[in-house]
Amino acid sequence: MNKIWLIIILSFLMMGLLSVDFTRKIPFTEYGPQPARRRIPLKLPSADVSRIIREKIFSRESASGNELSGNVRARPLLEVFYRKRNCRPAWSGYPGAAGRTEELVEAIKKVHLEGLNSDYYHLGDIKSLREGISRDGRAGRMSDPQEMADLDLFLTDAFLSLSCDFSSGCANPILLRTGWDTVRNNRDVVSVLEKAIKENRIEETLANLLPDQSKYSRLKRALMFYREIDAKGGWKPVAPGPPLKKSERNGRVADLRERLIVSGDLYRGKSEKDLFDEELDRAVRKFQRRHGLKADGVVGPATLGKLNVPVEERIRQIRVNLERLRWLLGGIGKRYIMVNIADFKLDVVDDDRPVMSMKVVVGKPFWHTPIFSAKMTYLVLNPYWNVPESIAIKDVLPKIRKDADYLESENMKVIRGWGEGEEIIDPVAIDWSRVQEKTFGFRLRQEPCPQNPLGRIKFMFPNKYNVYLHDSPARHLFDREIRSFSHGCIRVEKALELAAFLLKSDPEWPEEIIIEEMETGVEQEIRIPEPIDVHVVYLTAWVDDDGFIQFRDDIYGRDIELATALDGPLFTNKPASD
């Protein structure tokens, strides 16, 4: 009897199981499984998405109206990337796709930490498309393949653009006419993206493209600090008036004290607010050093002007210089000479360590020293000075007309031609009153002598600008705060020390021998045993090795255009890696 009942029960169970449809699939989108009760076999239309991506990228005028809705910055790179993967979508329909998308969105949201604008990376478009696709998934509808294609393209363009911008700068300095011609780091960002997708390491990959140097990370922290000051209302200006100095007591001193507390130059203590005491004097001197001013502790017009620069302008200045560091630091190397035009300073770095520093004199505001990189290969003792034609015509010719003995007194020779065919001309035989700018067919050369503007050493790093480093007899110029007096070349304060460093690995050229040869007055060319990179740069904000933020005047007026570009419609610029 029991066996009969058991057979009946098993028969009913088998009938129920056979009525279940095991072929029905659980709806799935890139945002996770949908409730089974909807009974809709939802799947990603990958074939349609691939077709639409192909039309959007490779057809400039699609017959089906599938042009990309919005601007992309890296279209040539998009073409390379999607051609390699036969236009398969990169950010949907595959394991880990949702996580990759989320990582990229988070990376875009954080670009303000680099001084960049998230709008350049389609954050609004990506957010809108993701919300629409998510709504479709919640409603059990198949996602629109047009929207899926747009999302994939925007995400890819964002990653490629970020890769270019992080590794070599957001704005193209050539298009902006910034005069920046230094070496830049051009990466194969398509390969970078392919690897990042394969390894599911989107945010980490992008972070690794940023300059891996303390110069950059320190300036990033300074940006955060000044933004915090701005969020709290910034600082109040100090009212104009007579210079303020130690031992004075008045309301302006109280304002000065508060201003320096806000910027971190002075700690809030128990001092009398309206008294200019020793503590405040030290804070003022610190502030002056941070701004390239004479650190005398007196708040005169120059110091007052720097105190009253709004915090918003300092933020803009930091953002501009973060961009310049992205242009520069990817290819700077570990051994180099860096000349910062805006700081009137030269630093020598060996194995990533600063080993020497000195003042320099750079080009006048209307005779800019160019920004570029080159390799120094030799130096010249007791150099001749071949006077540039523009200087010969504009500066020397009027002096010759006024003083017939000028050329002799300056130890200058008049030469026609070059090399073996050159001919030295007697200046007395020339009617200088008849010599005009258009008919000036001579070359002027100053012999090695005390008044030779090249001094006794020049350092050669061949470049298209014909600019070099050199000694200078005008020693008093190195005592000036603003040292823009040259016609483009760079005068160095410690020429002998620099030459000794460059020749230290050559036993034939110890410092005492260099001095002896200079005393002969004979021109002599010496090859540098280990050629060294020279980077002539323009930085108006940085953080020094002691952790102090430094600001300098924009003597060539180059900050404004770059700041405008960083806040403007950059989608018309080609990516830096093109």
Side-chain angles (χ1 to χ4, degrees), residues 218-353:
R218 291 196 300 252
L219 194 56
K220 273 179 61 175
R221 289 194 294 270
L223 177 61
M224 293 176 61
F225 176 69
Y226 276 77
R227 279 176 167 164
E228 288 173 1
I229 292 175
D230 186 37
K232 295 176 182 177
W235 50 64
K236 296 180 181 179
V238 179
L244 295 172
K245 54 188 176 182
K246 192 164 64 173
S247 301
E248 290 190 13
R249 185 190 294 271
N250 59 53
R252 292 178 64 230
V253 171
D255 293 340
L256 171 64
R257 181 180 295 278
E258 189 61 31
R259 163 65 181 84
L260 293 174
I261 288 172
V262 172
S263 60
D265 294 285
L266 176 66
Y267 291 105
R268 192 181 299 278
K270 297 181 180 180
S271 301
E272 298 178 62
K273 291 184 178 181
D274 61 350
L275 175 63
F276 200 130
D277 58 10
E278 183 69 30
E279 183 183 38
L280 184 56
D281 179 76
R282 287 195 298 269
V284 169
R285 292 173 189 268
K286 175 183 175 183
F287 177 88
Q288 290 171 327
R289 284 190 293 270
R290 291 200 305 107
H291 292 78
L293 301 171
K294 182 179 179 181
D296 57 8
V298 178
V299 182
T303 302
L304 186 65
K306 299 294 186 294
L307 286 164
N308 290 343
V309 172
V311 68
E312 297 88 355
E313 186 171 334
R314 292 307 186 198
I315 291 171
R316 173 188 59 79
Q317 198 171 353
I318 293 172
R319 292 180 62 215
V320 161
N321 286 279
L322 279 171
E323 175 71 355
R324 289 180 177 136
L325 289 180
R326 287 188 290 268
W327 290 346
L328 173 69
L329 292 179
I332 197 172
K334 292 187 176 182
R335 182 175 181 269
Y336 56 87
I337 294 171
M338 181 179 288
V339 177
N340 185 359
I341 296 169
D343 191 29
F344 313 108
K345 189 178 177 185
L346 178 151
D347 292 297
V348 181
V349 175
D350 193 7
D351 195 24
D352 269 345
R353 295 180 300 104

Side-chain angles (χ1 to χ4, degrees), residues 26 50 59 61-62 75 85 124 144 167 201 255 259 292 359 396 421 425 451 495 499 503 509 541 555 577:
I26 298 176
S50 295
S59 300
E61 295 182 1
S62 171
R75 181 178 283 274
R85 56 188 297 113
D144 183 350
S167 62
R201 296 169 57 203
D255 293 340
R259 163 65 181 84
K359 298 175 182 177
V396 181
I425 308 297
Q451 61 267 43
L503 299 176
W509 286 103
I555 59 172
S577 66

Side-chain angles (χ1 to χ4, degrees), residues 362-430:
V362 300
K364 303 172 184 178
F366 50 88
W367 215 312
H368 295 179
T369 294
I371 301 168
F372 66 102
S373 295
K375 190 173 289 293
M376 184 182 292
T377 55
Y378 69 100
L379 58 85
V380 181
L381 302 183
N382 302 310
Y384 292 98
W385 182 43
N386 289 296
V387 183
E389 185 178 26
S390 58
I391 297 176
I393 293 172
K394 295 179 180 178
D395 293 353
V396 181
L397 182 58
K399 295 175 181 177
I400 298 174
R401 289 170 177 165
K402 289 182 180 180
D403 182 1
D405 297 325
Y406 177 81
L407 290 172
E408 183 178 356
S409 66
E410 293 296 318
N411 204 9
M412 284 187 180
K413 286 185 168 50
V414 181
I415 303 172
R416 181 182 285 119
W418 291 84
E420 295 181 358
E422 74 175 24
E423 177 187 6
I424 297 179
I425 308 297
D426 184 354
V428 177
I430 301 172

Side-chain angles (χ1 to χ4, degrees), residues 377 502-506 526-531:
T377 55
L502 295 170
L503 299 176
K504 67 179 181 179
S505 62
D506 189 340
I526 306 172
R527 306 304 296 183
I528 296 172
E530 299 177 58

Side-chain angles (χ1 to χ4, degrees), residues 121-134:
Y121 310 103
H122 313 296
L123 185 60
D125 289 324
I126 291 170
K127 181 179 179 182
S128 177
L129 287 166
R130 291 184 78 199
E131 288 175 351
I133 293 168
S134 181

